Amino acid sequence: MKMSANTADKDNNVSTNKNISLPISRVRLIMKSSPDVSNINQEALFLTTKATELFVQYLAVSSFNNGSGKGSKSLSYSDLASTAEENDTFHFLTDILPKKILAGDYLKTLEQIEDEEADI
Amino acid sequence: MAERPEDLNLPNAVITRIIKEALPDGVNVSKEARRAISQAASVFVLYATSCANNFAMKAKRKTLNAADVLAAMEEMEFERFLEPLREALEVYKKGKKEVSEQKRKEKEKKETDNDKSREEEDDEERMEEEPEAENDAEEEEVEN
């Protein structure tokens, strides 16, 4: 049993080195941290790893193209946060990519809300 | 298993390289942005796993397979990944087949060598024909 698992791992490493740059073992660890998941076959593992690479590319490119740093050739956190907020496909990221606001702006918004409530 | 939380992060160097390769030359990616993309990638893995797992459970299977992952991509509205993923899977399958074929050949060679040295010791005449026949049989098996 242990032997066959080892051989499968080796096969995997050799054949994926050309197509994949992310470590498949780390991706498996993340997948296995999901409570309901019991088994993942090699192809599913490979596809998820590949998909994650595509995702990283797509998120970076979308954020760069929609972001404000196109002229200055830079990609910043706020470009990513805006993409998460504005693009439906990336909406699941809003929790981990919250928009940053200045404390001063936040206080102003609070004041505004208070004023509005006072008006009512 | 995952003892430390950093075990659930993807390696920064690799993430940085993928980002650099995707963007036009000379774009500066802030450290904060890189970390955010890396975290987003981990969340993506979890989200995809949970979607794929739903498909597997619906089909009363305990093992996630390639079809589950592809279905998950559709569900997550990442249809644009389907085509490249299918292509990558084909290459992967082919590569795997080649690797196992190569391994088999290496193993055979070893066995043949072992046979040779053994046969050289006790029976020199038989060694020429036998390993050849063995090779043919094995190769057919692989193709099927």
Side-chain angles (χ1 to χ4, degrees), chain A residues 17-57:
Chain A
N17 275 344
K18 302 167 213 154
N19 322 312
I20 277 187
S21 13
L22 285 171
I24 224 163
S25 55
R26 184 58 58 96
V27 173
R28 175 170 43 209
L29 204 62
I30 300 173
M31 291 176 88
K32 288 260 184 173
S33 76
S34 179
D36 300 326
V37 174
S38 38
N39 295 305
I40 307 151
N41 78 13
Q42 294 287 320
E43 285 179 12
L45 198 52
F46 168 81
L47 278 183
T48 308
T49 309
K50 184 74 195 171
T52 309
E53 290 189 14
L54 294 173
F55 170 79
V56 168
Q57 291 167 1

Side-chain angles (χ1 to χ4, degrees), chain B:
Chain B
M1 281 268 298
E3 304 280 342
R4 300 163 302 167
E6 62 263 33
D7 282 344
L8 298 183
N9 290 342
L10 294 160
N12 284 324
V14 185
I15 294 285
T16 305
R17 198 174 68 224
I18 298 173
I19 299 171
K20 283 252 146 108
E21 280 168 8
L23 294 175
D25 277 349
V27 173
N28 179 45
V29 184
S30 79
K31 204 178 169 187
E32 235 182 346
R34 274 181 280 155
R35 208 177 51 201
I37 293 177
S38 177
Q39 282 169 351
S42 289
V43 171
F44 173 85
V45 173
L46 286 171
Y47 182 26
T49 306
S50 132
C51 280
N53 199 46
N54 282 341
F55 285 106
M57 286 206 301
K58 259 186 227 159
K60 296 202 163 43
R61 276 184 285 101
K62 281 191 173 168
T63 304
L64 294 192
N65 63 27
D68 295 328
V69 177
L70 292 174
M73 290 301 125
E74 242 180 309
E75 171 115 339
M76 292 160 75
E77 290 175 37
F78 285 110
E79 296 96 344
R80 58 172 61 236
F81 295 170
L82 288 176
E83 212 32 59
L85 285 179
R86 286 199 186 103
E87 280 167 23
L89 184 62
E90 281 311 304
V91 176
Y92 172 74
K93 280 183 183 169
K94 232 189 229 169
K96 241 189 148 171
K97 214 175 149 192
E98 271 164 26
V99 167
S100 60
E101 256 172 71
Q102 212 183 338
K103 274 202 166 171
R104 202 178 280 248
K105 273 178 194 158
E106 271 168 26
K107 209 177 146 201
E108 273 167 24
K109 204 176 163 251
K110 241 187 184 173
E111 277 167 8
T112 316
D113 288 349
N114 284 345
D115 285 351
K116 262 186 199 165
S117 52
R118 228 184 296 132
E119 279 171 16
E120 268 166 15
E121 278 170 19
D122 38 60
D123 187 359
E124 281 193 22
E125 271 177 35
R126 270 177 53 200
M127 79 176 237
E128 290 231 301
E129 280 185 350
E130 257 194 15
E132 272 283 84
E134 223 178 288
N135 265 350
D136 286 350
E138 293 269 11
E139 261 166 21
E140 264 169 49
E141 214 176 274
V142 170
E143 271 165 40
N144 288 336

